[in-house]
Amino acid sequence: MGKRAKTSRKGKKAWRANISTEDIEDFFEKATKDALSGGNLSAAPSEDLFHVEKSHDIPVKRKIEKHRERVLRCDSVLKKNPFVQTVSSSKPKSKKSNKTIVIESKTPKQAQKDAGDDSVMVDLWADDSKGEHESKPRKIYKKTSTIPAVEVDPAGCSYNPTTESHEDMLAEAVAQEMQKVYKTELGPEPVPLTIEGDAINEDERYFLGVDNVSDGEDDAEVENEELEAGNKLARTTKRVTRVVLNKRSRQKELRKKETKEKYKEKISTEIDSLPNILEEIAREDEEKQNKLLRRTIAKQEVLKIRPPRLGKHKFEAPPVQVLLTEEMTGSLRKLKACCTLARDRFKSLEKRGILVPSKHIRRF
Amino acid sequence: MPKHYRPAGKKKEGNAARYMTRSQALKSLQVNLSLFRRLCIVKGVFPREPKKKVKGNHHTYYHVKDISFLQHEPLLEKFREIRTYQKKVLKAKAKKNEELARLLLTRQPTYKLDRLIRERYPTFIDALRDLDDCLTMVHLFAVLPASDRENLEVKRVHNCRRLSHEWQAYISRTHALRKVFVSVKGIYYQAELEGQKITWLTPHAIQQVFTNDVDFSVLLTFLEFYETLLAFINFKLYHSLNVKYPPILDSRLEALAADLYALSRYIDASSRGMTVEPKSDASSSSQSNDREESELRLAQLQHQLPSSEPGALMHIVADNNKEVEEDEETRVCKSLFKDLKFFLSREVPRESLLFVLPAFGGMVSWEGEGAPFKEDDESITHHIIDKPSAGHMYLSREYVQPQWIYDCVNARIILPTEKYMVGSIPPPHLSPFVDNEAEGYVPDYAETIKRLQAAARNDVLPLPGVGKEDLEDPQNLLYAGVMSRAEEAEAARNKKKMAELEKQYHEELKMELRGSAVDVAPVVEEVGEGEESVPDAANTQTAQDTSDMPTLLMSRKKRKLYEAMKKGQKKKSEAVEALEQRKKRLNAGQQ
């Protein structure tokens, strides 16, 4: 901006009135705006600024039609669905006609026999390899436990065992029995159904617990008396003088100092023993790890002998099937064999965790 | 079903969300308890033990996913359908409309378990792997008496019987049987099929009883599934032999309760005579008519085969040469009782022996009608008898107790028959399922058998490398059955020395693997010393040596593990010692 001719400079007002820069500023503003927006809009031709969109133009009439084409849900439900089979109210006739055809071809007995034949039996695993690709077997089909389905009896259970192994088995059987006996002997005595003595009267029954209650009240009274006595003693103590107070404060300060020092000492020793502490932590960690390992192993070991607890009752192992010494004859003909294999199977199912063990199976 | 909606502020996570109790499951599946149990058994869904039992310890828990798996089972819908149908029948009966009830009963909806079997056992091997329980159950129900109270029909018992016989016929035909063990509980068999060891238990030939502590309805549900499974497996196995399934049996033999023999004859006849095309005759009715005819012809052919012809089983043996895949063991099993003819007395367990003897290549006959040859046949080599004394004795044959067969089978050699003579108490029947080496204790009779085996092996194939353990002329000794004291001791010493050397070698290998710089020389030296001095001393020294060395080198963890192992070994050896002492005491007591 160039210099203007000198005018009166008396006061700001006059100065302002004299010089007006508005137009210039306006111009500059406009120029920068145009430069930034890419040109003067008023100068540009209207074709550049607007154009008529013609690509997706739907006539109004069709739009309305489209709207009308929409089917209400209530109507669509009533329409026929190709995936849903219709249920006719009357019985289908096709069954009857089928039947007659069968009768024509052969007698029903023959037909039944045929059904039991090849036409039903197909090789399920004809495409084994394909089956492997198709579907992974479900995780469920993994065995529930590691116990084999058919556990082979130890050598001592042979019908004609060696004496050593037989004695071994006998010992085991005896141990099993004795365990039961000891359990009943050493366990808590069952509550007897009846006890000796006279029956208690209705009136006496009300007074049964009364004595005990009164005893409790007595105790409380005694305690109260003691407390009162303590209060009286407290009142009789000496008054605290200034000297004593000073002494106390001094001692307090001293104690504070001592504790501070002690704390310092402690920290220094701890810093010194830092490697020891680290070691201790490591040891503890290791112990924890070992404990965990031991526990898991123990659990697995237990699972080898008996199933997990699946229900209300525990699994009870069946007795060992072993011959008594006097029953050992060495002859297959005279063998006193086990005739309850069904129980063995049932127990095996329970042992493998497939069935839930229960106490009373048969309800009469 | 798990609840999709969860009330605000109530989070269900962890075990509470993952497991549900049985009653919850029943509610979500909308079935009753018995149906639920059936469904679980058939689908192979079992209860589980959650870590935290949210509802308490006295509940049975199922995984939520298991239950949703059950929910998607089409069988569930089928069961419901059957239930509604039964209601219809009941209603008809209640209205005294007998005719309608009868009509409805004839058209009852049924269900099949084929798809489930395929689902649970995607491959044939999977099915074989899980066959133990199935076989045991089917064999058990084959001998149970039919009972109205337990809902066990005659038809099912017969079906079980047929299935078990078909299985046995296949096993004996392919010589897949490996071990037999007669225990008090029953007879254990082990067969090997496609590399899978299948063990099953069959009851003794006595009356089996229903006990009160067994829920037979559960067992019957299991049986239902197992029957289907075994039928499909038999189908597959029979077709692998090019034999049609289900077999058509000679009705005369069937009536005489000699199903197994009839089956083996059938297999023999059909695999010799015709090649079956199982695929071609599957569908149309005209073809099935043809099949009917061919079946009839086949049955007639079987009739024409003279039933007393002894060769029926021999043909099986002869035919088997054609089969391609045969491993060493099968060959041994096949030729064990080759060229031997057995005759079973009335009192021996016929079912079992009829199964076992052909499985090891023998020919069998029995007392009764329909038997392939009579008792007075001159060519019979062994007569199986279980009486204190035999009446009329033929000189041309040996009279043995049935245990001899089982022992021979387990030892894979023909044992001398002196100990198994009529009227004598046979030697102990050892379990073939016990590994004596692992157990550490070897019964006397097992050792005799071992010696006999070694002798037989040398006899059959005199290879220089085989007789490693018995270094000097073992045959004479072994045939004599007794070893002279000195030689025995020497043999034992040799064995010990070998074992020691081997042990040392292993130890050295271990050391090398561990990468420790240990001088091998002193160890060798010590072993040299040991050989010169008394073997026992050397043994202890080396043992000490080897026990010291690792403890110094190993980390604490390894050392502890090592100690634990030592402890276990000690325990075992103590147990063995106890057994030996017991035996000594027994011997002393007898003298």
Side-chain angles (χ1 to χ4, degrees):
Chain A
M1 274 169 263
K3 268 186 180 176
R4 295 262 172 136
K6 273 187 183 174
T7 47
S8 153
R9 290 187 188 177
K10 269 185 190 165
K12 240 178 191 173
K13 247 184 189 169
W15 189 73
R16 268 196 188 160
N18 288 335
I19 310 160
S20 155
T21 54
E22 218 168 85
D23 51 338
I24 301 162
E25 274 166 9
D26 276 353
F27 172 76
F28 267 106
E29 224 169 74
K30 209 179 175 191
T32 46
K33 224 180 201 172
D34 283 350
L36 283 174
S37 66
N40 194 358
L41 279 182
S42 55
S46 61
E47 286 91 46
D48 280 358
L49 291 180
F50 308 102
H51 87 274
V52 184
E53 170 72 34
K54 284 180 179 173
S55 56
H56 293 292
D57 209 4
I58 307 168
V60 182
K61 204 181 161 191
R62 248 189 82 194
K63 229 178 184 174
I64 294 166
E65 271 178 5
K66 203 182 171 189
H67 191 69
R68 277 187 188 158
E69 265 173 21
R70 270 171 138 191
V71 185
L72 288 178
R73 170 135 181 95
C74 59
D75 294 333
S76 75
V77 163
L78 291 175
K79 264 188 183 173
K80 197 179 175 186
N81 189 344
F83 297 111
V84 176
Q85 285 179 348
T86 51
V87 182
S88 60
S89 55
S90 61
K91 275 183 184 174
K93 283 181 181 176
S94 58
K95 263 188 187 172
K96 270 186 184 172
S97 62
N98 249 342
K99 211 177 174 186
T100 49
I101 288 168
V102 168
I103 289 167
E104 275 167 19
S105 61
K106 33 190 135 125
T107 58
K109 250 193 184 176
Q110 268 178 333
Q112 213 177 21
K113 201 181 173 187
D114 209 59
D117 263 19
D118 274 357
S119 53
V120 176
M121 286 292 271
V122 203
D123 190 356
L124 276 186
W125 300 282
D127 47 350
D128 254 4
S129 53
K130 198 180 151 199
E132 268 173 90
H133 287 298
E134 258 180 12
S135 60
K136 281 179 202 165
R138 254 173 66 80
K139 258 187 192 172
I140 285 176
Y141 298 137
K142 276 184 188 171
K143 278 182 180 169
T144 45
S145 74
T146 50
I147 302 168
V150 177
E151 281 177 292
V152 181
D153 278 345
C157 291
S158 162
Y159 91 97
N160 184 16
T162 58
T163 30
E164 306 96 83
S165 56
H166 179 244
E167 283 211 344
D168 231 29
M169 265 343 277
L170 268 186
E172 204 167 289
V174 168
Q176 238 181 36
E177 281 303 309
M178 287 315 281
Q179 226 166 24
K180 270 183 210 163
V181 172
Y182 288 144
K183 225 173 218 172
T184 49
E185 271 180 13
L186 298 177
E189 268 186 33
V191 180
L193 287 175
T194 53
I195 43 168
E196 285 179 23
D198 300 328
I200 301 167
N201 284 344
E202 281 268 315
D203 302 338
E204 279 175 33
R205 201 173 288 163
Y206 293 118
F207 295 105
L208 267 181
V210 175
D211 286 349
N212 283 334
V213 174
S214 65
D215 279 353
E217 279 173 3
D218 285 346
D219 285 346
E221 277 169 23
V222 170
E223 271 174 29
N224 278 340
E225 279 169 15
E226 276 174 6
L227 267 178
E228 278 167 20
N231 283 342
K232 274 174 198 166
L233 277 175
R235 269 175 226 147
T236 53
T237 47
K238 274 182 189 174
R239 284 196 74 183
V240 182
T241 55
R242 189 84 221 167
V243 184
V244 175
L245 272 177
N246 284 344
K247 202 179 177 184
R248 273 185 194 172
S249 68
R250 254 179 280 134
Q251 274 178 347
K252 202 177 179 184
E253 235 165 73
L254 209 70
R255 241 179 281 141
K256 232 182 204 170
K257 224 186 224 171
E258 270 178 12
T259 48
K260 227 179 203 174
E261 268 171 25
K262 259 186 193 170
Y263 181 66
K264 259 186 193 169
E265 228 169 79
K266 201 182 158 195
I267 279 186
S268 69
T269 50
E270 272 183 356
I271 286 171
D272 285 342
S273 66
L274 202 59
N276 285 342
I277 290 169
L278 283 178
E279 216 170 81
E280 209 170 284
I281 289 169
R283 210 182 306 138
E284 266 174 19
D285 277 354
E286 201 184 333
E287 257 169 37
K288 260 184 204 165
Q289 202 80 26
N290 280 343
K291 206 173 172 185
L292 197 75
L293 203 71
R294 243 180 290 139
R295 259 191 202 162
T296 49
I297 287 171
K299 222 177 219 176
Q300 279 166 0
E301 288 290 316
V302 162
L303 275 185
K304 271 182 203 166
I305 325 167
R306 59 181 157 83
R309 176 79 177 270
L310 289 175
K312 199 172 178 183
H313 300 288
K314 274 182 189 166
F315 168 73
E316 273 174 22
V320 182
Q321 291 289 341
V322 65
L323 286 178
L324 299 178
T325 320
E326 61 264 23
E327 284 171 349
M328 262 168 50
T329 51
S331 165
L332 205 54
R333 181 171 53 97
K334 290 182 216 153
L335 173 67
K336 202 182 155 198
C338 147
C339 60
T340 53
L341 204 60
R343 183 193 289 153
D344 170 66
R345 281 295 83 204
F346 195 71
K347 283 285 177 190
S348 162
L349 287 173
E350 280 183 357
K351 194 175 181 184
R352 277 178 285 151
I354 291 172
L355 287 183
V356 181
S358 51
K359 268 272 155 60
H360 308 289
I361 303 280
R362 178 64 64 72
R363 285 165 212 93
F364 291 102
Chain B
M1 254 319 63
K3 256 189 204 168
H4 291 300
Y5 167 71
R6 188 190 302 151
K10 251 202 173 177
K11 272 196 174 179
K12 221 183 171 193
E13 296 183 323
N15 281 330
R18 242 173 281 143
Y19 293 94
M20 53 165 55
T21 61
R22 193 175 64 182
S23 44
Q24 279 174 325
L26 290 182
K27 220 175 247 174
S28 69
L29 286 178
Q30 298 186 4
V31 291
N32 57 12
L33 182 58
S34 66
L35 190 54
F36 176 72
R37 291 176 95 173
R38 271 167 80 99
L39 212 59
C40 280
I41 289 168
V42 167
K43 282 287 272 184
V45 167
F46 309 122
R48 306 203 193 180
E49 193 192 25
K51 247 182 199 166
K52 279 175 195 156
K53 295 183 172 175
V54 182
K55 294 269 175 177
N57 203 18
H58 56 288
H59 280 293
T60 307
Y61 291 85
Y62 287 86
H63 200 276
V64 162
K65 281 186 178 172
D66 286 355
I67 299 301
S68 68
F69 178 58
L70 282 184
Q71 188 136 50
H72 289 99
E73 174 59 44
L75 210 57
L76 188 65
E77 206 54 41
K78 197 82 193 176
F79 278 137
R80 282 197 190 119
E81 196 182 311
I82 289 171
R83 218 171 140 230
T84 47
Y85 197 86
Q86 275 168 351
K87 273 184 196 162
K88 266 186 205 170
V89 176
L90 272 181
K91 199 172 176 185
K93 273 182 184 165
K95 285 184 174 176
K96 310 276 188 219
N97 195 348
E98 291 300 326
E99 198 180 345
L100 180 63
R102 199 172 42 74
L103 194 71
L104 284 173
L105 275 176
T106 54
R107 292 187 200 156
Q108 251 180 337
T110 53
Y111 59 94
K112 283 197 283 185
L113 299 172
D114 312 3
R115 200 185 43 73
L116 282 180
I117 286 168
R118 170 77 193 189
E119 187 186 272
R120 281 177 71 170
Y121 308 110
T123 64
F124 185 54
I125 297 283
D126 288 330
L128 283 182
R129 212 173 282 150
D130 217 12
L131 208 57
D132 293 8
D133 201 20
C134 164
L135 282 172
T136 311
M137 202 82 101
V138 169
H139 275 90
L140 166 66
F141 276 85
V143 298
L144 273 179
S147 137
D148 273 342
R149 190 150 147 270
E150 305 293 351
N151 222 353
L152 179 58
E153 297 161 17
V154 184
K155 212 171 76 188
R156 289 190 83 179
V157 174
H158 278 304
N159 190 33
C160 285
R161 220 178 131 67
R162 186 178 61 80
L163 285 171
S164 63
H165 279 143
E166 280 164 9
W167 167 259
Q168 286 181 3
Y170 176 82
I171 291 293
S172 75
R173 151 94 200 183
T174 51
H175 308 286
L177 192 64
R178 293 288 171 268
K179 289 171 183 174
V180 186
F181 174 49
V182 185
S183 82
V184 182
K185 219 184 252 176
I187 305 175
Y188 288 94
Y189 296 102
Q190 190 173 64
E192 203 175 327
L193 262 190
E194 309 209 1
Q196 301 297 324
K197 277 185 178 149
I198 302 164
T199 316
W200 73 96
L201 172 65
T202 66
H204 279 294
I206 54 162
Q207 176 90 37
Q208 292 285 323
V209 294
F210 293 101
T211 49
N212 279 340
D213 52 354
V214 173
D215 191 352
F216 271 91
S217 61
V218 169
L219 284 189
L220 281 174
T221 314
F222 271 104
L223 184 72
E224 190 183 4
F225 182 74
Y226 287 151
E227 273 178 291
T228 324
L229 173 63
L230 192 56
F232 277 109
I233 282 177
N234 280 345
F235 179 88
K236 171 112 183 162
L237 292 176
Y238 273 57
H239 274 252
S240 72
L241 279 183
N242 252 349
V243 178
K244 216 168 184 189
Y245 188 89
I248 307 119
L249 296 184
D250 189 340
S251 54
R252 196 172 69 89
L253 282 175
E254 221 175 340
L256 289 169
D259 302 19
L260 198 56
Y261 176 60
L263 259 173
S264 65
R265 275 169 62 99
Y266 168 78
I267 294 177
D268 185 34
S270 57
S271 62
R272 235 187 327 157
M274 49 179 269
T275 48
V276 187
E277 296 138 34
K279 295 275 162 62
S280 65
D281 52 13
S283 52
S284 73
S285 62
S286 62
Q287 269 187 334
S288 69
N289 269 342
D290 288 351
R291 198 174 69 236
E292 203 78 11
E293 274 175 30
S294 72
E295 275 170 4
L296 274 175
R297 210 184 307 138
L298 185 67
Q300 280 167 4
L301 276 174
Q302 273 184 20
H303 276 299
Q304 280 164 12
L305 268 172
S307 63
S308 59
E309 182 201 28
L313 290 170
M314 193 134 91
H315 281 306
I316 298 175
V317 180
D319 271 9
N320 259 13
N321 290 336
K322 285 181 221 157
E323 278 171 29
V324 207
E325 348 120 40
E326 258 190 7
D327 55 342
E328 183 69 33
E329 211 164 6
T330 316
R331 225 170 293 135
V332 170
C333 287
K334 200 172 74 183
S335 56
L336 180 65
F337 291 139
K338 209 176 176 183
D339 303 331
L340 296 183
K341 268 175 114 171
F342 297 89
F343 189 83
L344 310 181
S345 271
R346 219 156 23 87
E347 69 279 358
V348 298
R350 195 171 87 183
E351 291 263 296
S352 165
L353 288 176
L354 272 184
F355 166 46
V356 172
L357 284 171
F360 288 86
M363 276 187 292
V364 211
S365 179
W366 61 92
E367 217 170 300
E369 256 184 89
F373 45 86
K374 295 273 177 255
E375 191 183 353
D376 52 6
D377 196 326
E378 285 298 318
S379 55
I380 292 172
T381 54
H382 291 83
H383 194 123
I384 316 296
I385 198 167
D386 200 0
K387 279 187 277 192
S389 65
H392 178 71
M393 297 253 265
Y394 292 88
L395 285 176
S396 60
R397 61 181 83 157
E398 286 181 88
Y399 286 81
V400 285
Q401 295 191 25
Q403 198 199 318
W404 178 75
I405 288 169
Y406 298 125
D407 283 352
C408 282
V409 160
N410 290 334
R412 297 284 150 69
I413 49 164
I414 307 280
L415 294 168
T417 54
E418 293 100 51
K419 287 181 179 170
Y420 298 91
M421 288 300 222
V422 180
S424 64
I425 291 177
H429 178 59
L430 302 170
S431 168
F433 293 96
V434 175
D435 189 3
N436 282 326
E437 249 83 279
E439 211 75 4
Y441 176 73
V442 184
D444 283 344
Y445 192 59
E447 253 170 73
T448 0
I449 286 178
K450 217 176 182 181
R451 260 182 262 140
L452 286 167
Q453 270 172 338
R457 217 182 304 134
N458 280 5
D459 199 19
V460 174
L461 27 127
L463 286 173
V466 174
K468 204 177 8 175
E469 288 160 3
D470 15 58
L471 290 170
E472 54 282 294
D473 194 21
Q475 285 186 29
N476 285 342
L477 300 173
L478 298 166
Y479 269 128
V482 199
M483 270 184 160
S484 75
R485 191 82 189 147
E487 273 167 329
E488 196 174 1
E490 196 172 12
R493 229 182 347 260
N494 273 329
K495 210 167 168 184
K496 199 179 263 177
K497 212 189 285 174
M498 290 275 251
E500 213 167 84
L501 279 171
E502 203 175 69
K503 195 170 151 200
Q504 187 210 338
Y505 177 68
H506 279 303
E507 208 66 47
E508 279 173 25
L509 262 183
K510 234 184 265 170
M511 299 266 193
E512 273 177 24
L513 280 177
R514 225 175 274 143
S516 62
V518 185
D519 266 350
V520 192
V523 185
V524 170
E525 231 174 64
E526 259 151 22
V527 170
E529 269 176 29
E531 272 174 335
E532 281 160 15
S533 64
V534 196
D536 275 11
N539 207 357
T540 50
Q541 199 157 11
T542 43
Q544 204 179 7
D545 234 46
T546 46
S547 64
D548 278 355
M549 200 66 77
T551 44
L552 291 175
L553 293 168
M554 280 187 287
S555 68
R556 182 194 285 148
K557 197 174 170 186
K558 274 182 184 166
R559 199 161 61 224
K560 284 275 154 69
L561 187 71
Y562 183 72
E563 274 164 17
M565 271 163 62
K566 277 271 161 110
K567 237 181 238 171
Q569 279 170 358
K570 203 177 155 198
K571 221 178 187 177
K572 202 185 243 178
S573 69
E574 268 171 5
V576 168
E577 213 165 87
L579 267 177
E580 265 159 6
Q581 266 184 354
R582 188 172 286 158
K583 191 178 147 201
K584 235 182 247 170
R585 247 203 343 267
L586 272 173
N587 281 339
Q590 275 168 9
Q591 284 161 12

